[in-house]
Amino acid sequence: MDITELTVHELQEKLKNKELTSYDITKAYVKRIEEKEKDVQAFVTELGNEALEKASEIDEERKSGEVGNFTGIPIGIKDNICTKGVKTTCSSKMLENFVSPYDATVVEKLNDEKMINLGKLNMDEFAMGGSTEYSYFKKTRNPWNLNRVPGGSSGGSAAAVAANMVPWALGSDTGGSIRQPASFCGVVGLKPTYGLVSRYGLVAFASSLDQIGPITKDVYDSAMLLNIIAGHDEKDTTSREMEKKDYTKALKNDVKGLKIGVPKEFFGEGINEEVKEKLEEAIKTYKELGAEIEEFSLDIAKYSLATYYIIACAEASSNLGRFDGIRYGYRAKEFKDLKDLYRKSRSEGFGPEVKRRIILGTYVLSSGYYDAYYKKAQQVRTLVMNEFDKAFKKYDVILTPTSPTVAFDIGSKSNNPLEMYLADICTVSVNIAGLPGISIPCGVDKSNMPIGMQLIGNKFQEETILNAAYTFEQKIKFRENYKPTFRKEEE
Ligand code: GLN
């Protein structure tokens, strides 16, 4: 048995009936990381030794009595989620040596469960990007083809899960950063409803859009990890007070009568033919499973990308103001006066994409342009929300591709920001409207690259999309049929 092939719910079984210890599991992952990290480059910080130590302690505890369901289960964490005593770099030179003095709320929740942190995962700098190429440290590679990007910005998280280097991981999603890399790496990525998961301790990119969520091998694990991280937090005033749910209870393997709307705009120009084909097959599968499918128009979606990039950059320019070289983070070595210290620290500490966003954001918020750009974008945001509200009066779920293409070659878009932004066309509307969305694999293209399907739900209806995803997954059995090959094409 290859331990690292198992899902978390399978690991739990084996822990329960004493077939495996936490040490066995952690050791298997540490070994796997040793083997694969040189190819995949998913980690910014590896915590193998600490993890093994903790696993031994936990096994001792297990001997002496009852332990929780997640005790001793390892996990990987995106490097923009604060971990006390362990570096949180956001893959930026600015925070290269930053050690957070506190844990993010989600990390506290993992600690409460006595889970084991295997390490911090690579990402686009400050989560700005869609390929993980904008990391200051390294370029993560796609386990299905090492010449391709893993997607982004949570590319380290998705690649590590796909490569079996962690059993599951946390990512963050502002405009698609959980779903798109999940789609590129053939794993399951869930962006929860805005307000379901606390953002306390998530380094802010665009606060009105950011959410933390699970990246997992299958839908059951996704529901379990959501169970752990969801819930009100008084430290995040945008987190919603609501009763705790068990999302695994929603997984009924039945979609009879489920109303699925398919917005035709997401299948038009710019969507790769093979992606379209696989999505059409998926729609057929849902019909066979008893769902009711209807095409409709979500015309407003054509404005989503522009709206997203205005709002996200505006908020980023404000959020990143705190990195001034004074309180924490990178400080320039030589400077003339205070202004020069600010200027040099920020010029040297941030990479090009982050600077581009700060400049764009500052521009759209400037007094002369505020009405034309920022205010207009906020107005369009309301229209997008209204359109979704209307759609959810008719449908339970909205089905689209996660990305217009499969994972692209490393280097093919990184010098063309606009093209990189266009890759987010299918995911950004979900953040703008604050909705939950999940990406699950629905097949591979001719070159054996995974294709992702996105299921969007109404606010706080995670159960509906999880069940729809689960039912499809049980039917097509993607993980049993396709595996990453770590192939490397000659360059
Ligand atoms: N690719 C998008 C961007 O660059 C989304 C990023 C994200 O979700 N963090 O903004």
Side-chain angles (χ1 to χ4, degrees):
M1 168 180 65
D2 178 356
I3 296 173
T4 66
E5 279 280 327
L6 302 175
T7 61
V8 174
H9 53 96
E10 287 162 348
L11 290 175
Q12 283 177 321
E13 277 301 304
K14 306 232 181 271
L15 278 172
K16 215 181 264 162
N17 58 34
K18 302 206 169 5
E19 250 180 90
L20 290 175
T21 63
S22 294
Y23 191 85
D24 296 333
I25 296 171
T26 309
K27 182 84 198 161
Y29 276 104
V30 170
K31 202 169 141 251
R32 179 79 177 174
I33 294 168
E34 265 168 35
E35 282 164 22
K36 291 291 176 212
E37 177 61 2
K38 60 178 184 318
D39 285 336
V40 180
Q41 302 281 302
F43 284 83
V44 176
T45 303
E46 287 180 38
L47 297 169
N49 292 337
E50 294 84 341
L52 286 170
E53 218 170 279
K54 189 151 176 215
S56 306
E57 277 167 33
I58 281 170
D59 284 332
E60 281 308 309
E61 207 181 307
R62 195 184 303 278
K63 275 185 208 150
S64 55
E66 277 291 295
V67 296
N69 276 337
F70 298 97
T71 303
I73 298 277
I75 189 164
I77 301 173
K78 185 175 180 180
D79 212 16
N80 59 351
I81 300 175
C82 285
T83 44
K84 191 174 169 176
V86 171
K87 276 190 208 170
T88 297
T89 69
C90 291
S91 289
S92 178
K93 181 176 178 184
M94 185 58 90
L95 292 177
E96 189 171 5
N97 297 306
F98 174 67
V99 178
S100 162
Y102 64 91
D103 278 322
T105 296
V106 291
V107 173
E108 265 176 18
K109 286 176 188 269
L110 304 182
N111 291 341
D112 290 346
E113 297 291 342
K114 299 206 164 109
M115 285 170 60
I116 298 176
N117 184 2
L118 280 170
K120 302 296 293 289
L121 297 161
N122 198 24
M123 52 186 280
D124 286 297
E125 186 178 0
F126 284 101
M128 298 170 189
S131 69
T132 313
E133 291 167 290
Y134 296 144
S135 163
Y136 171 64
F137 302 111
K138 49 172 87 171
K139 291 189 179 37
T140 300
R141 290 161 182 271
N142 190 313
W144 295 75
N145 178 336
L146 299 171
N147 299 87
R148 308 257 180 123
V149 302
S153 63
S154 313
S157 299
V161 173
N164 293 336
M165 293 197 287
V166 298
W168 56 6
L170 289 181
S172 72
D173 191 313
T174 304
S177 279
I178 288 175
R179 290 158 288 154
Q180 184 255 29
S183 150
F184 281 10
C185 293
V187 294
V188 176
L190 171 68
K191 185 211 89 83
T193 306
Y194 186 78
L196 183 60
V197 177
S198 167
R199 290 180 295 110
Y200 181 74
L202 168 69
V203 179
F205 162 9
S207 314
S208 77
L209 303 161
D210 300 338
Q211 271 290 285
I212 296 171
I215 299 184
T216 55
K217 294 185 192 189
D218 72 359
V219 177
Y220 199 92
D221 280 2
S222 184
M224 287 203 301
L225 192 45
L226 186 63
N227 281 348
I228 299 174
I229 62 174
H232 174 67
D233 177 10
E234 57 179 29
K235 297 198 201 94
D236 173 1
T237 49
T238 61
S239 82
R240 167 84 86 95
E241 221 159 323
M242 53 187 279
E243 69 182 279
K244 198 103 183 126
K245 288 180 184 171
D246 177 357
Y247 293 97
T248 62
K249 291 236 165 70
L251 310 179
K252 302 234 158 57
N253 198 9
D254 179 9
V255 289
K256 272 184 214 83
L258 186 80
K259 295 197 181 62
I260 303 181
V262 178
K264 62 172 191 278
E265 290 79 6
F266 286 71
F267 290 78
E269 210 189 323
I271 308 288
N272 170 278
E273 276 310 311
E274 284 188 78
V275 171
K276 219 186 281 179
E277 248 168 58
K278 280 291 167 250
L279 264 292
E280 272 153 17
E281 274 173 36
I283 291 171
K284 235 172 84 204
T285 304
Y286 272 119
K287 271 190 196 147
E288 284 161 22
L289 289 165
E292 293 165 23
I293 313 273
E294 194 178 283
E295 200 182 82
F296 75 107
S297 170
L298 196 68
D299 196 37
I300 193 79
K302 64 174 180 256
Y303 300 118
S304 290
L305 201 62
T307 308
Y308 168 80
Y309 273 96
I310 290 171
I311 294 172
C313 292
E315 294 185 18
S317 73
S318 155
N319 274 325
L320 270 59
R322 72 191 68 180
F323 300 102
D324 54 6
I326 304 286
R327 285 159 294 187
Y328 49 81
Y330 178 81
R331 178 183 292 184
K333 301 283 166 297
E334 285 165 31
F335 45 85
K336 292 198 296 277
D337 51 25
L338 186 62
K339 256 200 171 149
D340 199 40
L341 164 63
Y342 289 152
R343 187 183 308 119
K344 288 213 174 101
S345 299
R346 288 168 68 80
S347 306
E348 294 164 20
F350 290 135
E353 181 61 26
V354 174
K355 285 182 193 156
R356 188 151 41 233
R357 308 262 179 139
I358 293 173
I359 292 168
L360 272 169
T362 309
Y363 178 78
V364 299
L365 289 174
S366 62
S367 63
Y369 295 98
Y370 180 94
D371 285 343
Y373 295 111
Y374 184 71
K375 190 167 160 215
K376 185 65 90 198
Q378 291 293 16
Q379 288 164 335
V380 178
R381 182 174 193 170
T382 304
L383 297 180
V384 173
M385 287 176 174
N386 292 347
E387 277 305 296
F388 273 109
D389 275 349
K390 233 166 71 197
F392 283 116
K393 292 215 164 72
K394 280 173 82 180
Y395 310 114
D396 305 306
V397 171
I398 293 173
L399 182 156
T400 74
T402 307
S403 166
T405 65
V406 297
F408 42 87
D409 284 333
I410 291 176
S412 64
K413 293 193 205 288
S414 48
N415 295 323
N416 186 341
L418 202 59
E419 215 178 294
M420 189 78 90
Y421 300 169
L422 277 171
D424 302 326
I425 191 101
C426 302
T427 48
V428 291
S429 314
V430 173
N431 303 71
I432 290 178
L435 303 169
I438 192 168
S439 175
I440 56 167
C442 65
V444 295
D445 73 356
K446 285 196 200 77
S447 61
N448 198 44
M449 293 305 289
I451 294 171
M453 164 169 73
Q454 172 173 247
L455 302 170
I456 307 167
N458 204 350
K459 290 202 178 113
F460 299 103
Q461 299 300 312
E462 274 76 5
E463 285 139 305
T464 313
I465 54 171
L466 281 163
N467 177 49
Y470 180 75
T471 310
F472 182 81
E473 178 187 77
Q474 296 303 306
K475 176 82 182 167
I476 75 150
K477 300 203 181 312
F478 179 83
R479 284 187 71 239
E480 286 166 36
N481 293 320
Y482 307 99
K483 297 233 181 300
T485 57
F486 299 92
R487 74 178 188 276
K488 192 166 171 111
E489 284 157 8
E490 291 309 317
E491 272 155 8

